[in-house]
Every structure is written in structure tokens, then in C-alpha cells.
Amino acid sequence: PRGTGFLYISNSILAQDIMPSHIDHYGCPVSKVPSASYYQQGTQLQSVIEFAPRKGAKRFEFWESSISSRLGLGEAVCIAMEEGLTKVSHDIQHLSALLRSELEKTIPSIHIYHRESTTCGIVTFFCEIVDARTIQTTMWKEGFELSTVPATSTPLDSSSTNVPDLVRASVSYTTTEKDILNFCK
């Protein structure tokens, strides 16, 4: 789930005292509150506030998180380990390839985005005659959850490829071939 994940950092890297790209008051608490005279509107916080990063990997942790998402991640890991990572990977690659080919075969106005460079379970596409939001809304009513990727979320890529807003479908180890065929009807 979004906002969860695993981080592995070797002790040799941790020893270099690297800083996380995003910090909060748990992983890198403020060690001293600056006086008001040091801070003026527009001043970079890093030049005014002193941080005291926690030792070890704790400096990468956040205070606030979604407990249900963490529990979901834990359950997903348990299921993936039961199924076997090799099988899960193979199944997802097979199902996403089936989804790509079925979409193109059954709906001529569909164009798969990043077809050649994608082997994961994310299938991104656009339609020449129906906009992304309409596809998402219509498929939601049919029981399929999709997301849209606005062209503005990847402005450099979108400007060079000239694609409209995209639709994103994700297959997982719970997806079946029947699901794929029903999706493409």
C-alpha cells in the first residue's frame, strides 16, 4: 500500500550519517528551537533549525502512518511468501502481458503506454475516443478499480510523447485470467 514499504540500509552506509530525503519530528527531531530573531519569512529552515537525527535506520521513520496500510502490507507479505516470490512474479508478468494483449485485441482505440519497457503488473494505456476519467468512472461501476495519471503529473514525459491523461490498471497475484477477460469486454 502507498505510504508503506521496506528499507534496507547496510551498517556501512548508516555509518556515513546520511540524511533522509524527507524528515519529520520522529526520525529527525529538532534539537533546539531557534529564537524568533533568526527566522524571517523566506529563510531556509535548514539554516535556522538544528536537527538531531536518530541513530541507525530510525532516522528514516515517520511519526504518522496508516496502521491499516501497515497491516495490509504485512498480510500481503505473508501471502506472497506462502505463494512464493518466483511464482508471484511469474503470474503478475503473465497476467499483465495478457491484459496488454487483450486490451489491444478487443478495443482497437486503446494504446498501451510504455509497452516495451514494462514487465511489472502496472498496465498504463489511453483511448483515442474516450477520456481517462470516463474510463475510470465507468469501470468502477463494473467493479474494477483504476487510477488516472494526468499528463500534468509527468510534464516532461508527456510533452515529449504527446499523450493525454492515462489510465492505470494494476494486476496482482489475486487477479485471474477470467478477471482480465471480463475487464476487456
Side-chain angles (χ1 to χ4, degrees):
R2 186 172 289 223
T4 65
F6 296 101
L7 173 67
Y8 171 81
I9 299 179
S10 68
N11 288 331
S12 63
I13 297 295
L14 280 174
Q16 296 174 22
D17 287 330
I18 60 171
M19 286 290 289
S21 61
H22 296 78
I23 60 174
D24 79 352
H25 64 90
Y26 177 77
C28 292
V30 172
S31 59
K32 181 181 173 187
V33 175
S35 69
S37 63
Y38 283 114
Y39 181 71
Q40 296 176 3
Q41 190 70 24
T43 303
Q44 293 291 319
L45 289 180
Q46 294 89 334
S47 63
V48 178
I49 295 178
E50 294 177 31
F51 296 98
R54 292 186 182 274
K55 297 292 181 198
K58 289 243 180 245
R59 75 183 75 163
F60 296 95
E61 292 183 22
F62 287 94
W63 177 258
E64 294 182 17
S65 66
S66 167
I67 299 302
S68 60
S69 292
R70 281 187 178 183
L71 292 171
L73 175 64
E75 183 62 21
V77 168
C78 288
I79 293 169
M81 297 308 290
E82 285 174 16
E83 293 285 322
L85 296 179
T86 301
K87 181 182 183 318
V88 168
S89 177
H90 177 268
D91 289 351
I92 288 174
Q93 288 180 12
H94 166 72
L95 290 168
S96 63
L98 177 63
L99 178 55
R100 287 180 190 91
S101 67
E102 286 296 315
L103 279 170
E104 289 180 320
K105 184 170 72 174
T106 58
I107 310 168
S109 58
I110 292 286
H111 296 278
I112 305 298
Y113 193 65
H114 288 312
R115 174 179 247 309
E116 301 306 319
S117 63
T118 305
T119 60
C120 68
I122 298 172
V123 178
T124 309
F125 61 93
F126 67 93
C127 181
E128 294 172 1
I129 57 177
V130 181
D131 68 273
R133 189 67 66 194
T134 301
I135 293 170
Q136 179 191 30
T137 303
T138 303
M139 295 306 286
W140 174 264
K141 292 174 185 172
E142 297 295 321
F144 295 100
E145 188 170 342
L146 304 171
S147 60
T148 57
V149 182
T152 55
S153 72
T154 56
L156 298 178
D157 188 46
S158 297
S159 67
S160 66
T161 58
N162 200 30
V163 296
D165 293 351
L166 302 169
V167 180
R168 181 171 288 166
S170 300
V171 300
S172 75
Y173 52 84
T174 62
T175 305
T176 65
E177 287 187 7
K178 184 179 178 183
D179 293 333
I180 301 290
L181 298 175
N182 285 337
F183 181 82
C184 294
K185 285 184 180 176

